[in-house]
C-alpha cells in the first residue's frame, strides 16, 4: 500500500499543533484524509483548547530540569525521573480529523465528532496523566464559560487508554463519561 501525500501537513492550526498531526493515520496511511475548510476551522477551535491544556499541564506538573537538579544537589543526590525532566511536554494526538473512509476503516461510530474535525484523541502515559488532563479541561471550561461537547475516558479491549475531547461550534452537550470498548 502506498501512502497518500497529505497536502499542507506543516500548516499550523495553532502555535504548537499542525494540520499533519491532526490528520495523520498511523494504522491506515493509504486512506485519503484531507479535511474541508469547515473541518479545519473546527480543528483550530479544538487546538485552542489543546494550547490551554499544554500550557497549564506544563506549568503545574512538568519539572524544569534546572529546578530539579538544584533540588538533587540540596538533598545530596538521588535518581532522576527522566519522564518528568523536560522543560515542556507536548500533547500527543492519536487521532484528530477522520474522513468517512478512515472512520469506517478504524471502526469509528457513524456520527463521530472526528468526522467534522471537532474531536481529538489524546495519548496519555497512564491514568494519572489522563485525570490531570481531564481536570485541566473541565476547569478551563468553567473558568472561560466555554462549552465542550465530549470529554471521554476511553479504554479499548487491550487495555490502552486515552482521552477523547470534542468541541463543536454550537450545541455542545458537556458530556463526560468513561467508555470501555
Amino acid at each position: 500500500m502506498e501512502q497518500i501525500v497529505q497536502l499542507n501537513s506543516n500548516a499550523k492550526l495553532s502555535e504548537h499543533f499542525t494540520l499533519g498531526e491532526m490528520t495523520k493515520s498511523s494504522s491506515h496511511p493509504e486512506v485519503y484524509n484531507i479535511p474541508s475548510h469547515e473541518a479545519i476551522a473546527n480543528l483550530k477551535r479544538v487546538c485552542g483548547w489543546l494550547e490551554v491544556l499544554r500550557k497549564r499541564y506544563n506549568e503545574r506538573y512538568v519539572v524544569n530540569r534546572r529546578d530539579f537538579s538544584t533540588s538533587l544537589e540540596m538533598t545530596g543526590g538521588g535518581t532522576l525521573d527522566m519522564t518528568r525532566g523536560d522543560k515542556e511536554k507536548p500533547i500527543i494526538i492519536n487521532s484528530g480529523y477522520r474522513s468517512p473512509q478512515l472512520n469506517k476503516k478504524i471502526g469509528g461510530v457513524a456520527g463521530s465528532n472526528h468526522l467534522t474535525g471537532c474531536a481529538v484523541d489524546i495519548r496519555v502515559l497512564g491514568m494519572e496523566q489522563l485525570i490531570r488532563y481531564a481536570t485541566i479541561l473541565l476547569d478551563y471550561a468553567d473558568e472561560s464559560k466555554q462549552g465542550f461537547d465530549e470529554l471521554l475516558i476511553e479504554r479499548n479491549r487491550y487495555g490502552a487508554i486515552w482521552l477523547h475531547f470534542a468541541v463543536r461550534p454550537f450545541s455542545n452537550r458537556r458530556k463526560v463519561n468513561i467508555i470501555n470498548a
Side-chain angles (χ1 to χ4, degrees), residues 39-59:
I40 291 171
N42 291 335
L43 286 168
K44 286 181 178 181
R45 183 179 304 100
V46 172
C47 287
W49 284 76
L50 295 177
E51 290 292 349
V52 171
L53 174 60
R54 185 181 192 277
K55 181 179 188 290
R56 291 186 179 190
Y57 183 80
N58 283 313
E59 288 173 352

Side-chain angles (χ1 to χ4, degrees), residues 8 19 52 65 89 93 96 103 105 111 142 151 153 157:
N8 298 319
L19 183 58
V52 171
R65 278 189 183 178
K89 293 285 186 194
I93 305 302
N103 196 56
K105 279 242 185 203
D142 292 343
L151 190 152
I153 295 171
R157 64 181 178 226

Side-chain angles (χ1 to χ4, degrees), residues 74-127:
M74 290 169 44
T75 61
T79 57
L80 280 172
D81 177 3
M82 294 310 286
T83 63
R84 294 181 52 119
D86 293 337
K87 282 190 173 186
E88 289 188 344
K89 293 285 186 194
I91 302 298
I92 308 295
I93 305 302
N94 281 339
S95 181
Y97 169 78
R98 294 183 199 149
S99 65
Q101 298 86 353
L102 179 59
N103 196 56
K104 185 176 181 179
K105 279 242 185 203
I106 65 166
V109 297
S112 172
N113 276 319
H114 288 281
L115 292 165
T116 58
C118 292
V120 292
D121 291 341
I122 304 168
R123 181 179 305 164
V124 293
L125 298 174
M127 190 59 77

Side-chain angles (χ1 to χ4, degrees), residues 2-50:
E2 187 174 323
Q3 181 173 349
I4 294 175
V5 175
Q6 302 293 341
L7 301 177
N8 298 319
S9 63
N10 292 325
K12 286 195 169 259
L13 298 175
S14 67
E15 182 181 357
H16 295 101
F17 298 94
T18 65
L19 183 58
E21 71 185 305
M22 293 296 182
T23 59
K24 73 175 186 230
S25 172
S26 301
S27 60
H28 296 286
E30 77 284 0
V31 176
Y32 182 81
N33 197 43
I34 297 177
S36 66
H37 292 290
E38 182 181 353
I40 291 171
N42 291 335
L43 286 168
K44 286 181 178 181
R45 183 179 304 100
V46 172
C47 287
W49 284 76
L50 295 177

